[in-house]
Amino acid sequence: MIPRRHLRVLALLAAALIASGCAMQPPVAPEPAALTRPAPEAVLRGAPIDRAVEERILALDPERISAVDVRDTLARGPTPRIVLLHGGIYPVHLAMASFGEFLTGMGYPAAKILDPRDGSWSISPYTSSIEIAGLLAWHYEHDGVRPMVVGHSQGGIQAVKVLHELAGSFGDELRAFNPYTGVFESSTIVDPLTGRERPVVGVSIAYASAVGTGGWALVLPNHWIVASRVRTIPNTVDEFTGYRIALDLFAWDAPGLEGLKTFHPDGADGKATVRNVTLPAGYLHVLAPVTSDLARSPAIRAWINAYDPEDEAGTRALPEGDPPNLLWAADVWHSLKRHWALEAQRFVRARRALAPG
């Protein structure tokens, strides 16, 4: 039997579909710089960040980012693109849209999540992984901070596939993909932090995660290429977190299958930090990203911002009512904040290392 709280969320998801008519945010008009390739050092030199913000960024502890840090420091500095990959069954994209609204409710700039072409919150898992890999490289070249990816269900499979595309597992050439023009560009980018030209293959991202990955979806032809590697994480991401729901009929997951569902670095020289997190059996696969309500409660927002994945006692002391999907949202938000801070610090240090000019 579905818990009453999940029935309410199902009703809200259906109501959102009817009310919105699949409405999307208006597309973002491209700035001239988005249509041309940046010159070496242009991204670092052109960033509109004052010295006081730079000092605050460098002083941050990435493991302990408060709401004030997000609002007054990180949101005023270089911000990575977050690419959300939704599941494949209509209208599950609304669940990932809910997570996008959660992120903006927690203080993440919406312009760094919404698709510039159509204003949508997330990308379909049927979009070419070659295109998504090229998109990530393009954003790194233009933003100076490496993107982050969150995948749900089939979108989680696609996230792993994209990491393998960047690693060259399926081919030795990729092209940057411009999200404003919808056109593939060069097979190289100008690394914004070094000013040197480099291939798109080998570009890494800061963070990626997947929830509810595997099961019947792996028999679909678009995922065959990664089926044998879906639990193997290459070196094209600094940190990857795989979330499994303890009882998940869609992903064919249940107690005792942990060994089959464990993500791990690729090979003996695997450098990616890989975490495996098991979510409670009461989570529903389709609704896992439905989290927008969490950001509307000041008490729950405070709990999420204080969440520490290393503090088991703290994670047991859940807010009253145990809101749906809270632990997943808090854990992902903690990782996103952490890598947001780390990327901003890398950017500021590279900027300060530039010769006067």
Side-chain angles (χ1 to χ4, degrees):
M1 180 177 292
I2 298 176
R4 181 177 300 174
R5 65 182 183 177
H6 286 312
L7 287 174
R8 176 176 175 270
V9 175
L10 278 169
L12 289 174
L13 187 58
L17 175 61
I18 295 170
S20 68
C22 299
M24 294 177 289
Q25 301 291 326
V28 179
E31 298 179 3
L35 303 178
T36 58
R37 189 175 197 178
E41 301 184 356
V43 173
L44 292 176
R45 293 190 184 279
I49 313 169
D50 63 39
R51 187 80 178 185
V53 172
E54 287 186 350
E55 292 292 346
R56 293 202 303 272
I57 287 173
L58 293 176
L60 290 173
D61 178 355
E63 300 294 342
R64 292 173 176 80
I65 302 296
S66 69
V68 174
D69 293 332
V70 169
R71 183 187 66 234
D72 295 343
T73 300
L74 287 175
R76 299 185 181 187
T79 300
R81 167 67 51 172
I82 294 179
V83 171
L84 304 179
L85 301 174
H86 62 250
I89 301 176
Y90 187 83
V92 77
H93 68 284
L94 291 178
M96 196 56 102
S98 176
F99 181 61
E101 292 171 357
F102 162 77
L103 294 177
T104 58
M106 298 300 292
Y108 212 88
K112 290 297 184 178
I113 307 174
L114 294 169
D115 189 315
R117 287 175 293 175
D118 60 17
S120 58
W121 285 107
S122 59
I123 296 175
S124 167
Y126 305 122
T127 300
S128 165
S129 55
I130 293 174
E131 177 181 318
I132 298 171
L135 174 74
L136 296 175
W138 187 94
H139 277 296
Y140 174 52
E141 181 180 40
H142 285 75
D143 298 341
V145 281
R146 293 175 301 162
M148 301 185 281
V149 174
V150 178
H152 168 225
S153 191
Q154 285 195 61
I157 298 173
Q158 192 74 340
V160 176
K161 191 192 306 180
V162 168
L163 296 179
H164 280 287
E165 292 283 9
L166 289 171
S169 299
F170 312 130
D172 57 7
E173 182 178 281
L174 293 170
R175 292 183 174 273
F177 182 81
N178 188 319
Y180 291 94
T181 63
V183 172
F184 283 99
E185 299 179 339
S186 174
S187 61
T188 62
I189 63 168
V190 174
D191 191 299
L193 301 191
T194 67
R196 294 191 290 269
E197 191 172 19
R198 59 174 295 179
V200 172
V201 170
V203 168
S204 66
I205 65 174
Y207 166 79
S209 71
V211 59
T213 298
W216 63 267
L218 285 173
V219 307
L220 297 175
N222 57 310
H223 297 316
W224 287 352
I225 193 172
V226 79
S228 64
R229 310 177 194 224
V230 75
R231 304 289 166 186
T232 302
I233 306 303
N235 294 336
T236 46
V237 63
D238 285 2
E239 180 181 342
F240 178 91
T241 303
Y243 299 92
R244 58 182 291 268
I245 299 170
L247 183 61
D248 186 343
L249 299 182
F250 283 87
W252 295 350
D253 210 344
L257 298 180
E258 291 84 357
L260 296 174
K261 296 293 183 173
T262 297
F263 293 89
H264 53 84
D266 188 7
D269 62 344
K271 298 176 182 177
T273 297
V274 179
R275 299 172 61 232
N276 287 276
V277 176
T278 299
L279 301 170
Y283 276 48
L284 293 183
H285 176 98
V286 174
L287 300 181
V290 177
T291 49
S292 58
D293 280 351
L294 300 177
R296 298 189 180 105
S297 165
I300 294 175
R301 276 203 317 272
W303 188 92
I304 292 171
N305 274 314
Y307 172 86
D308 179 356
E310 302 300 323
D311 180 8
E312 294 185 8
T315 59
R316 287 196 298 267
L318 298 175
E320 184 177 354
D322 185 11
N325 307 323
L326 175 65
L327 285 175
W328 176 77
D331 199 81
V332 175
W333 178 236
H334 182 274
S335 294
L336 291 172
K337 288 190 297 180
R338 178 175 182 271
H339 288 283
W340 187 1
L342 289 170
E343 287 301 299
Q345 289 173 342
R346 288 177 72 241
F347 184 97
V348 170
R349 292 188 184 107
R351 177 178 162 103
R352 291 192 172 188
L354 290 175

